[in-house]
């Protein structure tokens, strides 16, 4: 049942995101509005659009949420794999589970680190960049996993 709904949610979300579907919905609203004078703008006429849009919205919330949740999980898994196979810090794995205040604090710390790194890198001379990496930089590097291919160096790193 889960796989059936997941497949259904994926297809519906792809279908609902197409421009032709938006145009069809717009045409339906224009037709409904044009029929207003024929029905004397009655309560039944208003109820048709209200009921139709409410039902569609209610059902689409569940379908789109399912598709979005699966997409988010897939993206998180891919990002975690990139973190694990790169020189990035492992502490970022799982941060999507932090609360809002913790995420804000982490964002501030990363912004400060990026600003500090940018200033220090701008001050380096080309001769210093050619020098061998420091012991501290070597200690930060993680060994390559046995199962994966040899990692590529980052463009800014020098061997």
């Amino acid at each position: 049942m889960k796989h059936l709904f997941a497949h259904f949610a994926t297809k519906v979300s792809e279908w609902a995101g197409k421009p032709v579907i938006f145009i069809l919905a717009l045409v339906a609203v224009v037709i409904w509005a044009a029929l207003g004078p024929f029905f004397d703008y009655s309560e039944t006429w208003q109820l048709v659009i209200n009921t139709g849009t409410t039902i569609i919205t209610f059902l689409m919330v569940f379908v789109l949420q399912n598709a979005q949740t699966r997409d988010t999980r897939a993206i998180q898994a891919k990002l975690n794999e990139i973190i694990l196979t790169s020189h990035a810090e492992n502490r970022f794995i799982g941060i999507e589970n932090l609360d809002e205040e913790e995420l804000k604090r982490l964002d501030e710390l990363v912004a400060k680190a990026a600003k500090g790194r940018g200033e220090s890198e701008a001050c380096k001379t080309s001769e210093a960049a050619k020098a061998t990496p420091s012991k501290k930089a070597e200690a930060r590097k993680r060994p390559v996993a046995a199962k994966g291919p040899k990692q590529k160096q980052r463009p800014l790193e020098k061997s």
Side-chain angles (χ1 to χ4, degrees), residues 80-157:
N80 289 344
E81 179 66 14
I82 290 170
I83 290 170
L84 287 171
T85 59
S86 72
H87 296 287
E89 296 184 29
N90 289 343
R91 68 181 172 149
F92 290 103
I93 293 178
I95 65 171
E96 66 274 7
N97 298 320
L98 298 177
D99 65 24
E100 191 65 29
E101 290 300 316
E102 292 170 327
L103 283 173
K104 283 181 184 178
R105 176 74 179 132
L106 186 60
D107 188 42
E108 291 169 1
L109 290 173
V110 171
K112 285 181 184 177
K115 184 178 179 186
R117 180 178 288 172
E119 290 172 359
S120 66
E121 287 180 7
C123 295
K124 287 182 181 178
T125 63
S126 61
E127 187 175 318
K130 291 178 185 176
T132 58
S134 67
K135 289 181 183 178
K136 186 177 179 182
E138 286 296 324
R140 279 195 313 241
K141 291 184 181 179
R142 284 180 278 140
V144 177
K147 66 175 185 171
K150 187 174 180 180
Q151 292 179 346
K152 295 180 183 176
Q153 277 189 318
R154 292 182 178 177
L156 296 177
E157 288 186 30

